[in-house]
Amino acid sequence: MRLQHATWQEVEAYLRRETGIIVPIGSTEQHGPNGLVGTDAICPETIAWELGERHGVLVAPTQNLGMAQHHLAFPGTISLRPSTLLAVLRDTVTSLARHGFTHVFFLNGHGGNIATLSAAFAEIYAERSLGYGSQPASRLNLTTCNWFAGPRVRELAESLYGEAEGTHATASEVALSWFARPEAVKQVEMSPRIAPRGSAQCDADEFRRRFPDGRMGSDPTLASVEHGQRFLEAGVDDAWETYRAFIQAG
Amino acid sequence: MRLQHATWQEVEAYLRRETGIIVPIGSTEQHGPNGLVGTDAICPETIAWELGERHGVLVAPTQNLGMAQHHLAFPGTISLRPSTLLAVLRDTVTSLARHGFTHVFFLNGHGGNIATLSAAFAEIYAERSLGYGSQPASRLNLTTCNWFAGPRVRELAESLYGEAEGTHATASEVALSWFARPEAVKQVEMSPRIAPRGSAQCDADEFRRRFPDGRMGSDPTLASVEHGQRFLEAGVDDAWETYRAFIQAG
Amino acid sequence: MRLQHATWQEVEAYLRRETGIIVPIGSTEQHGPNGLVGTDAICPETIAWELGERHGVLVAPTQNLGMAQHHLAFPGTISLRPSTLLAVLRDTVTSLARHGFTHVFFLNGHGGNIATLSAAFAEIYAERSLGYGSQPASRLNLTTCNWFAGPRVRELAESLYGEAEGTHATASEVALSWFARPEAVKQVEMSPRIAPRGSAQCDADEFRRRFPDGRMGSDPTLASVEHGQRFLEAGVDDAWETYRAFIQAG
Amino acid sequence: MRLQHATWQEVEAYLRRETGIIVPIGSTEQHGPNGLVGTDAICPETIAWELGERHGVLVAPTQNLGMAQHHLAFPGTISLRPSTLLAVLRDTVTSLARHGFTHVFFLNGHGGNIATLSAAFAEIYAERSLGYGSQPASRLNLTTCNWFAGPRVRELAESLYGEAEGTHATASEVALSWFARPEAVKQVEMSPRIAPRGSAQCDADEFRRRFPDGRMGSDPTLASVEHGQRFLEAGVDDAWETYRAFIQAG
Amino acid sequence: MRLQHATWQEVEAYLRRETGIIVPIGSTEQHGPNGLVGTDAICPETIAWELGERHGVLVAPTQNLGMAQHHLAFPGTISLRPSTLLAVLRDTVTSLARHGFTHVFFLNGHGGNIATLSAAFAEIYAERSLGYGSQPASRLNLTTCNWFAGPRVRELAESLYGEAEGTHATASEVALSWFARPEAVKQVEMSPRIAPRGSAQCDADEFRRRFPDGRMGSDPTLASVEHGQRFLEAGVDDAWETYRAFIQAG
Amino acid sequence: MRLQHATWQEVEAYLRRETGIIVPIGSTEQHGPNGLVGTDAICPETIAWELGERHGVLVAPTQNLGMAQHHLAFPGTISLRPSTLLAVLRDTVTSLARHGFTHVFFLNGHGGNIATLSAAFAEIYAERSLGYGSQPASRLNLTTCNWFAGPRVRELAESLYGEAEGTHATASEVALSWFARPEAVKQVEMSPRIAPRGSAQCDADEFRRRFPDGRMGSDPTLASVEHGQRFLEAGVDDAWETYRAFIQAG
């Protein structure tokens, strides 16, 4: 069930049954010559919607902007500063907790968000631990699930691309986004075939010097719509397994 | 053209032609017994995508969360505080300005966002005016266009619903969101037929006391998918007229 | 009654009778060749003090600084950023609410403050709606009344100046400030007689390019002290009507 | 010259002659049974206006709100948090520096503001020292002058009241505010005659326990309008001496 | 070389030779029945000072407070919120960059700091990438090295303690802190011998419910001063290897 | 007792006896040609540890970074902005108050911290006074004790150095830091013998213009390790007297 398509009474009814919710979170950033600027949002959103349909879990609207400062030297990238994203996450969780949600599961499509998600969880918990705000009796459970890091997805990427998978504008995420948006598939030649590897821990100008066409260690020309469908299946299975464990852990 | 579906090279090419961009901005909040929680995001997003397709304007990802504190007593509402939304808008505009965008056109679906959008524009301009940050030579033009307030849309709503249009969970926005999401159409009985009128300038508990089922002055049972299509046409024409004037003015 | 001239026991006694308060809020910004830098604060302050005297309402000290970033290219302008003004308003309202004030009526003299006032009200309500802070049982009612937009004031300006009233450094506000400060009346020649019209949605350098002597669409040489007295009467009547409705509504 | 009564061209002309400005800063807080809530703003404002008239120095609008958290258990007190006041001071100074003011002289009426004024100066300097913002070539000189602590004022208070002067709601400040506002003089009996002494370093409830009627160590029944006139003379002489030294040092 | 023991001229001379610096960062938090509240600061500080002595690298003062909100239900814990720690790290790095340091190596003793360190690096880089502040020509390289996660340290802990090492109040960190502070060695009985395992992603009260004596999965009674000496050697070798690679990469 | 060397159970036991704690706070900043960058942290830390040992008071880890923006033109200085230091102090005090500490005694080594410490106390109290956060029943007492300003220390400095003591990189603090770190004693020639006097109220570049080698009015070549021992005794006696009065006042 998508929150955007529900009425408040339907949400109220859902909360009488279960109190978990999935929040897809991505980024709006360059993904190399054939990858979409929206890749990191489209991938977890697609998996989350499928999860919502198959398993009846409520799915919040996608957080389309993430922490992408290192990609800002490529046109189209929009980045929140970590402090801004932290505030967004805090308000999101506080709103949900007010309604009685006890488990907020961020299904994440962007490595650059992981640290800020974790810092935001700590900021939210710290308000409780330091005694600010009113203290709801119920527990609050927060977690990040990176769709691209699940065991089935990792295995599939390894078997399809090996070393050419890379770490940004990866073959697997390009494939999944193409399956979700077949009208946006692009065939572009790239050179070198496999992009240089390296660290993204730097500012935007330095990042572009290190990674001239935006890819990091990947050959996304290997991607295909058909692969994308398999990544969707793998991603849904990985995420569902993680979600259930999250709910059961309590 | 949707930014999420473009590559960075396509954005680079676009910027050589034109430097305007449309950013749909909505809210995630209750819209009465038959309105969708996502109404305020779905409406401007639908109009923006249509504009992008018909006229080739670039459309950024939708800002799904807005300032909806007064709706927080209804399950499903997620609100950013004004200070958080201001930071999001500042980072968004700063990112776009870095790439050379000179005209950022926020196509807004939620009355509660208007003040914070305006305050955010002033905050961004104030950084320039007070001399913080590096000062790009190019002008920066920011505006808000409320799809629901355009002349064609207003006229259509008046002709279809008269007084029953209301001011929240309006018949017109319910119609447009249903046209965009026909699978989510709900038939729900409401009483009284036309909801009470009043001010939304209050906190969440008080809002729910004033407006028990979430509607303000509206009878959204009058909405239909067919009306929605007409609102889309009216909204596209209104917004395109405003967008062109914005670009030409500046 | 002016708060600055009361003792705390007198305020305590007032609160046993009524719980509304008027806060004049202005700006410190250029007002063209014959308008005072303090115009936007002097006008609502003068009306508020008159209201306080005639009707016994408590009047807080004037907030002399507002959001005036677009005027910063003219010497003498002092601007708060919207985020700063928001914090000031939040602390002001929180202080007043602690004492039991339930209705805070901002009598505003500057269009540039309106959005931030509204965003600040939402920020204050959001703390209640999101459950931060202790939640006083009493309702909190906040409103902005723009003295220059009341029906009597608008009618008088129309009858006296027609199109030459303008939108900044208007003939009406210059007249009222002159009545309040007759020692500061200036006779200055201006050319063109009626200043150019346009939008103030820009940064300070751009604003000065658009409006070289600071006026927007006005001919304030038409102003006179005698007009000012009539604007005071109109402004007091408009504001008192609005204030009473505010108290009764809530 | 009062900034509020000047046009921007008059400020421009002033800046060709001199680049110093006086900013009166006070507080809005209880001042015991016969002291005015506005005492701390009225006193420095009165001295500053007199200085402006006698010596032609420009005087900015009064900052009426200060850091008064410890007085919040007495009705009528309005306090800014230190972090808010710091932002106000930063924006004020940044605005003035943009116009070319090089010496900003805060004439202060409230002991509770001193630390935050000093912290704000450091915050402003730190932006330059850490390399944020554009770095104007000109020096920026900031200082606080406490009118109540000048040698002539101290001597006069000692000679008139001795130990009964106290440290809050002092006889001297009540006298000066009465001279400035003779219509607001109050005759109130107090017991004990001299209020208890102690520290104001605590929260509002504790402060009221320590100082039940709001006075700290003072007997303000000794104050008179005639004394107030003498305090004005002493205050003007003290402040002018300090101001000239400030300008000459820099 | 310890920065605290150097003069500014000695630092100036150092910067002519090399531009890297080590910043030990820890936490002040409970470490179970026999572990010191300062463990997380003492461990990286001890390794850093040894590195400084052996290899002549400059070592900044230890950041003793970290993000420890989940330990706040145990007396003695002092936690910064992530947003506060982020500001501290930003000011630290900005200060160092002003002097010409190009490589800042945070030697970290606390897992709870990792996310905020990473978010802070992104916040610092984002200011450059978004164009705030002045942009120094030199590159800025930031990294976190967790002493407890190096290969030699991991291997030693595995060989000495196996599963009893645990994840908080570990045997290895207790050993190292005891070697550094032999006067503070405590012999305390614990039950169960190995503490429960689990997640620390929760607030303080919940953490204490999960981990009643503060340990997570460890048996720190196995620790000894002699082990501590071996951990120091392993930690110094691990950190030095990482530091050299960091300098050479950049 | 040093908090870093205690277990949480030992802190728990301490809190049953007494609820005061000493927090040494310093700065990391140049101290002239023969003074250590860590002087301002080392001095109060040394006194605090001695106090802890002699009188059994609990001593928190040293806050090594303070507000030192004016020293940033000298290599090695690390400064927090006042707003950052304020947040650190707020989190520190809030953490301690959660455990039941009622008296937090900041033993300060740096004049530049005084204003921000005072502003931070007001910020913390203001949260209580304005009604944010949960309101613990217990009182909270906060104070700053400047070790260098106590009567015994002042008298000793006067007798040993007279005018050559100065106000930054003073002979007394250099002596005490040398006693604490005899391995870091430096013999450096300086000219002029006594450094120029003046105000530190300026930015970093201006400060270095005023005070070319970093000293303010001092001749620290007069310092000796033996003097340092005497300053330690004087400092311990001064601080202990102040601490006891603080606890007894209540």
Side-chain angles (χ1 to χ4, degrees):
Chain A
M1 183 162 71
R2 288 175 55 184
L3 177 58
Q4 284 200 317
H5 296 180
T7 62
W8 68 263
Q9 289 97 334
E10 290 169 345
V11 178
E12 196 172 59
Y14 176 88
L15 279 163
R16 284 193 289 266
R17 294 196 305 273
E18 33 188 326
T19 56
I21 190 167
I22 296 175
V23 184
I25 175 166
S27 184
T28 296
E29 62 181 50
Q30 68 85 15
H31 271 78
N34 73 348
L36 312 184
V37 166
T39 302
D40 285 352
I42 292 167
C43 289
E45 180 178 271
T46 304
I47 293 171
W49 289 356
E50 194 65 29
L51 271 175
E53 205 148 296
R54 290 190 197 172
H55 302 293
V57 190
L58 195 63
V59 179
T62 303
Q63 173 62 30
N64 287 307
L65 304 182
M67 205 305 292
Q69 66 81 19
H70 42 309
H71 296 294
L72 277 165
F74 294 95
T77 300
I78 302 175
S79 178
L80 301 183
R81 287 167 296 149
S83 54
T84 301
L85 183 52
L86 192 152
V88 169
L89 296 170
R90 191 174 68 141
D91 289 0
T92 299
V93 169
T94 310
S95 296
L96 293 170
R98 188 194 204 282
H99 303 313
F101 289 97
T102 59
H103 290 71
V104 186
F105 183 87
F106 287 90
L107 191 58
N108 179 38
H110 175 48
N113 290 339
I114 298 172
T116 301
L117 277 158
S118 181
F121 297 168
E123 187 90 8
I124 294 162
Y125 286 130
E127 290 192 2
R128 295 177 166 226
S129 299
L130 285 166
Y132 290 108
S134 56
Q135 311 275 338
S138 62
R139 291 190 194 167
L140 179 60
N141 300 277
L142 307 170
T143 201
T144 299
C145 173
N146 302 300
W147 79 267
F148 50 82
R152 292 169 188 81
V153 166
R154 280 299 87 214
E155 190 178 13
L156 181 59
E158 174 63 28
S159 74
L160 290 173
Y161 313 122
E163 288 232 325
E165 160 73 352
T167 57
H168 179 70
T170 62
S172 60
E173 65 187 351
V174 168
L176 176 48
S177 70
W178 283 358
F179 175 72
R181 303 285 192 277
E183 71 276 21
V185 172
K186 334 256 173 182
Q187 304 300 345
V188 185
E189 304 227 332
M190 304 176 204
S191 161
R193 200 178 61 78
I194 297 190
R197 301 175 193 288
S199 161
Q201 193 91 297
C202 55
D203 66 28
D205 290 335
E206 173 66 13
F207 184 95
R208 189 155 180 177
R209 274 192 291 274
R210 291 183 189 173
F211 310 103
D213 71 1
R215 294 174 299 145
M216 299 174 68
S218 70
D219 176 7
T221 63
L222 301 175
S224 74
V225 169
E226 184 269 337
H227 288 175
Q229 185 165 21
R230 293 165 66 189
F231 279 110
L232 177 58
E233 288 302 319
V236 166
D237 288 352
D238 282 345
W240 179 237
E241 192 171 86
T242 310
Y243 181 78
R244 277 185 309 174
F246 175 56
I247 298 295
Q248 283 158 15
Chain B
M1 184 162 71
R2 287 174 56 183
L3 177 58
Q4 285 201 318
H5 294 181
T7 63
W8 68 262
Q9 288 98 333
E10 291 169 344
V11 178
E12 196 171 58
Y14 176 89
L15 279 163
R16 285 193 288 267
R17 294 196 306 274
E18 37 188 324
T19 56
I21 190 167
I22 297 175
V23 183
I25 176 166
S27 183
T28 296
E29 61 181 52
Q30 68 83 16
H31 272 77
N34 73 348
L36 312 185
V37 166
T39 302
D40 285 352
I42 291 167
C43 289
E45 180 179 88
T46 303
I47 294 170
W49 290 357
E50 194 65 29
L51 272 174
E53 205 149 295
R54 291 189 196 174
H55 302 293
V57 191
L58 195 63
V59 179
T62 303
Q63 173 62 31
N64 287 309
L65 303 183
M67 206 305 292
Q69 67 80 21
H70 42 311
H71 296 295
L72 277 165
F74 293 95
T77 300
I78 302 176
S79 179
L80 300 184
R81 288 166 296 150
S83 54
T84 300
L85 183 52
L86 191 152
V88 169
L89 296 169
R90 192 175 67 140
D91 289 359
T92 298
V93 169
T94 310
S95 296
L96 292 170
R98 188 194 203 283
H99 302 314
F101 289 98
T102 60
H103 290 71
V104 186
F105 183 87
F106 287 90
L107 190 58
N108 178 39
H110 175 47
N113 290 339
I114 297 172
T116 301
L117 277 158
S118 180
F121 298 168
E123 187 90 9
I124 294 162
Y125 287 131
E127 291 192 1
R128 295 175 166 230
S129 299
L130 286 166
Y132 289 108
S134 56
Q135 310 276 338
S138 62
R139 290 189 193 168
L140 179 60
N141 300 278
L142 307 171
T143 201
T144 299
C145 173
N146 302 301
W147 81 266
F148 49 83
R152 293 168 187 81
V153 166
R154 281 298 87 216
E155 190 177 15
L156 181 59
E158 174 63 28
S159 75
L160 290 174
Y161 313 123
E163 289 232 324
E165 160 74 349
T167 57
H168 179 70
T170 63
S172 60
E173 65 187 351
V174 168
L176 176 49
S177 71
W178 282 359
F179 175 71
R181 302 285 192 279
E183 71 275 22
V185 172
K186 334 257 173 181
Q187 304 299 345
V188 185
E189 305 226 330
M190 303 175 205
S191 160
R193 199 178 60 77
I194 297 189
R197 301 175 194 288
S199 160
Q201 193 91 299
C202 56
D203 66 28
D205 289 335
E206 173 65 15
F207 184 95
R208 189 155 181 175
R209 274 192 291 274
R210 294 182 187 173
F211 310 104
D213 71 1
R215 296 174 298 145
M216 298 174 68
S218 69
D219 176 7
T221 63
L222 301 174
S224 73
V225 169
E226 184 269 335
H227 289 176
Q229 185 165 20
R230 293 165 67 188
F231 279 110
L232 177 60
E233 287 303 320
V236 166
D237 288 352
D238 282 345
W240 178 237
E241 192 171 85
T242 310
Y243 181 79
R244 278 186 309 174
F246 174 55
I247 298 294
Q248 283 158 15
Chain C
M1 182 162 71
R2 288 174 57 183
L3 177 58
Q4 285 199 319
H5 296 181
T7 63
W8 69 263
Q9 288 98 331
E10 289 168 345
V11 178
E12 197 172 57
Y14 176 88
L15 280 162
R16 283 193 290 266
R17 296 195 304 274
E18 36 188 323
T19 57
I21 189 167
I22 297 175
V23 184
I25 175 167
S27 184
T28 296
E29 61 182 51
Q30 68 83 16
H31 271 77
N34 73 348
L36 312 185
V37 166
T39 302
D40 286 352
I42 292 167
C43 290
E45 181 179 90
T46 303
I47 294 170
W49 290 357
E50 194 66 29
L51 272 174
E53 206 149 296
R54 292 190 196 173
H55 302 293
V57 190
L58 194 63
V59 180
T62 303
Q63 173 62 32
N64 288 308
L65 304 182
M67 205 306 292
Q69 65 82 20
H70 42 311
H71 296 295
L72 278 165
F74 293 95
T77 300
I78 302 175
S79 178
L80 300 184
R81 288 168 296 150
S83 53
T84 300
L85 182 52
L86 191 152
V88 169
L89 296 169
R90 192 174 67 141
D91 289 0
T92 299
V93 169
T94 310
S95 296
L96 293 170
R98 188 194 204 281
H99 303 313
F101 289 99
T102 60
H103 289 72
V104 186
F105 184 87
F106 287 91
L107 190 58
N108 179 39
H110 175 47
N113 290 339
I114 297 173
T116 300
L117 277 158
S118 180
F121 297 169
E123 188 90 8
I124 293 162
Y125 287 131
E127 291 192 2
R128 296 177 165 226
S129 298
L130 286 166
Y132 289 107
S134 56
Q135 311 275 340
S138 61
R139 290 190 194 168
L140 179 61
N141 301 277
L142 306 170
T143 202
T144 299
C145 173
N146 302 300
W147 79 267
F148 50 83
R152 293 169 189 80
V153 166
R154 282 297 88 215
E155 191 177 12
L156 180 59
E158 175 62 30
S159 74
L160 289 174
Y161 313 123
E163 288 232 324
E165 159 75 349
T167 57
H168 179 69
T170 62
S172 60
E173 64 187 352
V174 169
L176 176 50
S177 70
W178 282 358
F179 175 72
R181 302 286 192 277
E183 71 276 23
V185 172
K186 335 256 173 181
Q187 303 300 345
V188 185
E189 304 229 330
M190 304 177 206
S191 159
R193 199 178 59 78
I194 297 191
R197 300 177 193 287
S199 161
Q201 193 89 298
C202 55
D203 66 28
D205 290 335
E206 173 65 15
F207 184 95
R208 188 153 181 177
R209 276 192 290 274
R210 293 182 187 172
F211 309 104
D213 72 0
R215 295 173 299 145
M216 299 175 67
S218 68
D219 175 8
T221 62
L222 301 175
S224 72
V225 168
E226 183 269 337
H227 290 175
Q229 184 165 21
R230 293 165 66 190
F231 279 110
L232 177 59
E233 287 302 321
V236 166
D237 287 352
D238 282 345
W240 178 237
E241 190 171 87
T242 310
Y243 181 78
R244 277 185 311 174
F246 174 57
I247 297 294
Q248 283 157 15
Chain D
M1 183 162 69
R2 287 175 56 183
L3 177 58
Q4 285 201 319
H5 295 181
T7 64
W8 68 263
Q9 289 98 331
E10 290 169 344
V11 178
E12 198 172 55
Y14 176 88
L15 279 163
R16 284 193 290 266
R17 294 196 306 273
E18 38 187 323
T19 57
I21 189 168
I22 296 175
V23 184
I25 175 167
S27 184
T28 296
E29 62 182 49
Q30 68 84 15
H31 271 77
N34 73 348
L36 312 184
V37 166
T39 302
D40 285 351
I42 291 167
C43 290
E45 181 178 89
T46 303
I47 294 170
W49 290 356
E50 194 64 29
L51 271 174
E53 205 149 295
R54 292 191 195 171
H55 302 292
V57 190
L58 195 63
V59 179
T62 303
Q63 173 62 32
N64 288 308
L65 303 183
M67 206 305 292
Q69 66 83 21
H70 42 310
H71 295 294
L72 277 164
F74 293 95
T77 300
I78 302 177
S79 178
L80 301 183
R81 288 167 296 150
S83 54
T84 300
L85 182 52
L86 191 152
V88 168
L89 296 170
R90 192 174 67 139
D91 289 0
T92 298
V93 169
T94 310
S95 295
L96 292 171
R98 189 194 202 282
H99 303 314
F101 289 99
T102 59
H103 289 71
V104 186
F105 183 87
F106 287 91
L107 190 59
N108 179 40
H110 175 46
N113 290 338
I114 297 172
T116 300
L117 277 158
S118 180
F121 297 169
E123 188 89 9
I124 293 163
Y125 287 131
E127 290 192 2
R128 295 175 165 228
S129 299
L130 285 166
Y132 290 108
S134 56
Q135 310 276 338
S138 61
R139 291 191 194 167
L140 179 60
N141 300 278
L142 307 170
T143 202
T144 299
C145 172
N146 302 301
W147 79 268
F148 50 82
R152 292 169 188 80
V153 167
R154 281 299 87 216
E155 190 177 13
L156 181 59
E158 175 63 29
S159 74
L160 290 173
Y161 314 123
E163 288 233 324
E165 160 73 351
T167 57
H168 179 69
T170 62
S172 61
E173 65 188 351
V174 168
L176 176 49
S177 70
W178 282 359
F179 175 71
R181 302 286 192 278
E183 70 276 23
V185 173
K186 334 257 172 181
Q187 304 300 345
V188 185
E189 306 227 330
M190 302 174 207
S191 158
R193 200 179 60 78
I194 297 189
R197 303 176 191 287
S199 161
Q201 192 92 297
C202 56
D203 65 29
D205 289 336
E206 173 65 15
F207 184 95
R208 187 153 182 177
R209 273 192 291 274
R210 293 183 188 171
F211 309 104
D213 72 0
R215 296 174 298 145
M216 297 173 70
S218 68
D219 176 7
T221 62
L222 301 175
S224 73
V225 169
E226 184 269 338
H227 289 175
Q229 185 164 18
R230 293 165 67 188
F231 279 110
L232 177 58
E233 287 303 320
V236 166
D237 288 352
D238 282 344
W240 179 237
E241 190 173 86
T242 309
Y243 181 77
R244 277 185 309 173
F246 175 55
I247 298 294
Q248 283 158 13
Chain E
M1 184 163 69
R2 288 174 57 183
L3 176 58
Q4 285 200 318
H5 295 181
T7 64
W8 68 263
Q9 288 99 330
E10 290 169 344
V11 178
E12 196 172 55
Y14 176 88
L15 279 162
R16 284 193 289 267
R17 295 194 307 272
E18 36 187 325
T19 57
I21 189 168
I22 297 174
V23 184
I25 175 167
S27 183
T28 296
E29 61 182 51
Q30 67 84 15
H31 271 77
N34 72 348
L36 312 185
V37 165
T39 302
D40 285 353
I42 292 167
C43 289
E45 181 178 89
T46 303
I47 294 170
W49 289 356
E50 193 65 28
L51 272 173
E53 205 149 296
R54 291 190 197 173
H55 302 293
V57 190
L58 195 64
V59 179
T62 302
Q63 173 62 32
N64 287 309
L65 303 183
M67 206 304 293
Q69 66 83 19
H70 41 310
H71 296 294
L72 277 164
F74 293 95
T77 300
I78 302 175
S79 179
L80 301 183
R81 287 168 296 149
S83 53
T84 301
L85 183 51
L86 192 152
V88 168
L89 295 170
R90 192 173 69 141
D91 289 359
T92 299
V93 169
T94 310
S95 295
L96 292 170
R98 187 193 204 283
H99 303 313
F101 289 98
T102 60
H103 290 72
V104 186
F105 183 88
F106 287 91
L107 189 58
N108 178 38
H110 175 47
N113 290 339
I114 297 172
T116 300
L117 277 158
S118 181
F121 297 168
E123 188 90 10
I124 293 162
Y125 286 131
E127 290 191 3
R128 295 176 165 228
S129 299
L130 286 166
Y132 289 107
S134 56
Q135 310 275 337
S138 62
R139 291 190 194 166
L140 179 59
N141 300 277
L142 307 170
T143 202
T144 299
C145 172
N146 302 301
W147 79 267
F148 50 83
R152 291 168 189 82
V153 166
R154 283 297 87 217
E155 190 177 13
L156 181 59
E158 174 63 28
S159 74
L160 290 175
Y161 314 123
E163 289 233 322
E165 160 73 351
T167 58
H168 179 70
T170 62
S172 60
E173 65 187 352
V174 168
L176 176 48
S177 70
W178 282 358
F179 176 72
R181 302 285 191 279
E183 71 275 23
V185 173
K186 335 257 172 180
Q187 304 300 345
V188 185
E189 305 228 331
M190 304 177 205
S191 157
R193 200 178 60 78
I194 297 189
R197 303 178 190 286
S199 161
Q201 193 92 296
C202 56
D203 65 28
D205 289 335
E206 173 65 14
F207 184 94
R208 187 153 181 177
R209 274 192 290 274
R210 292 184 189 172
F211 310 104
D213 70 2
R215 295 174 298 145
M216 297 175 69
S218 69
D219 176 7
T221 62
L222 300 175
S224 73
V225 170
E226 183 269 336
H227 289 176
Q229 184 165 22
R230 293 165 67 187
F231 279 110
L232 176 59
E233 287 303 319
V236 166
D237 288 352
D238 282 344
W240 178 237
E241 191 172 86
T242 309
Y243 180 78
R244 278 184 309 172
F246 175 56
I247 298 294
Q248 283 157 16
Chain F
M1 183 162 70
R2 288 174 57 184
L3 177 58
Q4 285 200 318
H5 295 181
T7 62
W8 68 263
Q9 289 97 331
E10 290 169 344
V11 178
E12 197 172 57
Y14 176 88
L15 279 162
R16 283 192 290 266
R17 295 196 305 274
E18 35 187 324
T19 57
I21 189 167
I22 296 174
V23 184
I25 177 167
S27 183
T28 296
E29 62 181 51
Q30 68 85 15
H31 271 77
N34 72 348
L36 311 185
V37 166
T39 302
D40 285 353
I42 291 167
C43 290
E45 181 179 89
T46 303
I47 294 171
W49 288 357
E50 194 66 27
L51 272 173
E53 205 149 295
R54 291 192 197 171
H55 302 292
V57 189
L58 195 63
V59 180
T62 303
Q63 173 61 32
N64 287 307
L65 304 182
M67 207 302 293
Q69 66 82 21
H70 42 310
H71 297 294
L72 277 165
F74 294 94
T77 300
I78 302 176
S79 178
L80 301 183
R81 288 167 295 150
S83 54
T84 301
L85 183 52
L86 191 151
V88 168
L89 296 170
R90 192 175 67 141
D91 289 359
T92 299
V93 169
T94 310
S95 295
L96 293 170
R98 188 194 204 281
H99 303 312
F101 289 98
T102 60
H103 289 72
V104 186
F105 183 88
F106 286 91
L107 190 58
N108 178 40
H110 176 46
N113 290 339
I114 297 172
T116 301
L117 277 158
S118 180
F121 297 167
E123 188 90 10
I124 294 162
Y125 286 131
E127 291 192 3
R128 295 177 166 227
S129 298
L130 286 166
Y132 290 107
S134 55
Q135 311 275 339
S138 62
R139 290 189 193 169
L140 179 59
N141 300 278
L142 306 171
T143 203
T144 299
C145 172
N146 302 300
W147 79 267
F148 49 83
R152 292 170 189 80
V153 166
R154 281 298 88 215
E155 191 178 12
L156 180 59
E158 175 62 29
S159 73
L160 290 175
Y161 313 123
E163 288 233 324
E165 159 75 350
T167 58
H168 179 69
T170 61
S172 60
E173 64 187 351
V174 168
L176 176 50
S177 71
W178 281 359
F179 175 71
R181 301 287 192 277
E183 70 276 22
V185 172
K186 334 256 174 184
Q187 303 300 345
V188 185
E189 304 226 330
M190 304 176 204
S191 158
R193 200 177 60 77
I194 296 190
R197 303 177 191 287
S199 161
Q201 193 91 296
C202 56
D203 66 27
D205 290 335
E206 173 65 15
F207 183 94
R208 187 152 180 177
R209 274 192 291 275
R210 293 183 187 171
F211 310 103
D213 71 0
R215 295 174 298 145
M216 298 174 69
S218 69
D219 175 7
T221 62
L222 301 175
S224 73
V225 170
E226 184 269 335
H227 290 174
Q229 185 165 20
R230 293 165 66 187
F231 279 109
L232 176 59
E233 288 302 319
V236 166
D237 288 351
D238 282 346
W240 178 238
E241 189 171 271
T242 310
Y243 181 78
R244 276 185 310 175
F246 176 55
I247 297 295
Q248 282 158 14

